[in-house]
Amino acid sequence: MIRDALKAAQIEAMKAGNKERLAAVRLILAKLKDRDIELRTASQVPEDDAIVVDVLQKMVKQRRESISMYEAGGRAELAAKEQAELDVIEGFLPQQMSEDDTRAAIEGIKTEIGAASLKDMGKVMAVLKERHGTVIDMSKASGLVKAALG
């Protein structure tokens, strides 16, 4: 489980005195705790690894946006800090599908549900997220789906 790996990484970073990694891992664990609190009232709770991957993917997206904004603003030191956090976060994500595999999955779903135009993009994205949401970057997949249907 990813959550166990995070807790082990926290202990390892404490023992090694790696303050940057420890801060990033603690940040991840805090976001997971927030998500757990949100899900207390939910009627259906997804699988634990799915929750963790979802939180990690959102954190990756936030870091990438921050890095681009910092670089545009000439704040290289802040961009480097965000990049260091991004590297730690990505280390806990499962191996992502390659672009070719993603295209193949999209084509399979497209033929399976009979999607033919951009009007069907929502249906394709829903099935894609349901089946492969933990191993696909959905923002990149969105562009690939649009290209496949366009």
Side-chain angles (χ1 to χ4, degrees), residues 14 17 25 29 36 41 46 53 56 65 76 79 107 114 121 138 146:
M14 277 192 260
V25 171
L29 290 170
D36 290 342
T41 58
V53 168
L56 291 175
E65 289 172 356
E107 286 301 320
M121 185 171 172
M138 294 307 288
K146 188 179 268 188

Side-chain angles (χ1 to χ4, degrees), residues 2-150:
I2 301 171
R3 200 178 289 254
D4 296 333
L6 283 164
K7 290 177 184 173
Q10 180 183 22
I11 293 168
E12 182 183 309
M14 277 192 260
K15 287 181 180 177
N18 188 342
K19 292 181 181 177
E20 291 81 19
R21 183 169 173 82
L22 178 61
V25 171
R26 282 183 172 161
L27 187 64
I28 295 168
L29 290 170
K31 290 285 186 188
L32 285 173
K33 187 130 183 123
D34 288 346
R35 187 62 175 273
D36 290 342
I37 291 169
E38 288 174 22
L39 292 174
R40 283 184 188 167
T41 58
S43 59
Q44 287 185 333
V45 178
E47 177 187 333
D48 188 54
D49 273 356
I51 295 168
V52 175
V53 168
D54 185 48
V55 169
L56 291 175
Q57 286 176 336
K58 286 180 182 175
M59 292 178 76
V60 164
K61 182 180 178 189
Q62 290 171 341
R63 297 304 172 286
R64 286 190 178 134
E65 289 172 356
S66 296
I67 289 169
S68 65
M69 288 187 339
Y70 286 141
E71 288 173 347
R75 300 296 306 263
E77 71 283 355
L78 293 175
K81 182 178 182 277
E82 292 287 319
Q83 183 62 49
E85 284 183 8
L86 178 63
D87 293 341
V88 172
I89 295 166
E90 285 179 332
F92 292 105
L93 278 171
Q95 181 65 40
Q96 299 291 294
M97 282 176 72
S98 70
E99 192 169 318
D100 292 336
D101 292 341
T102 303
R103 287 181 200 273
I106 290 169
E107 286 301 320
I109 292 169
K110 190 174 118 177
T111 56
E112 179 184 322
I113 64 173
S117 68
L118 283 176
K119 291 180 181 178
D120 301 319
M121 185 171 172
K123 295 174 188 174
V124 174
M125 289 295 292
V127 174
L128 188 65
K129 183 168 181 147
E130 178 185 319
R131 292 184 187 167
H132 307 288
T134 60
V135 292
I136 289 181
D137 180 357
M138 294 307 288
S139 60
K140 290 179 184 173
S142 174
L144 295 173
V145 170
K146 188 179 268 188
L149 294 174

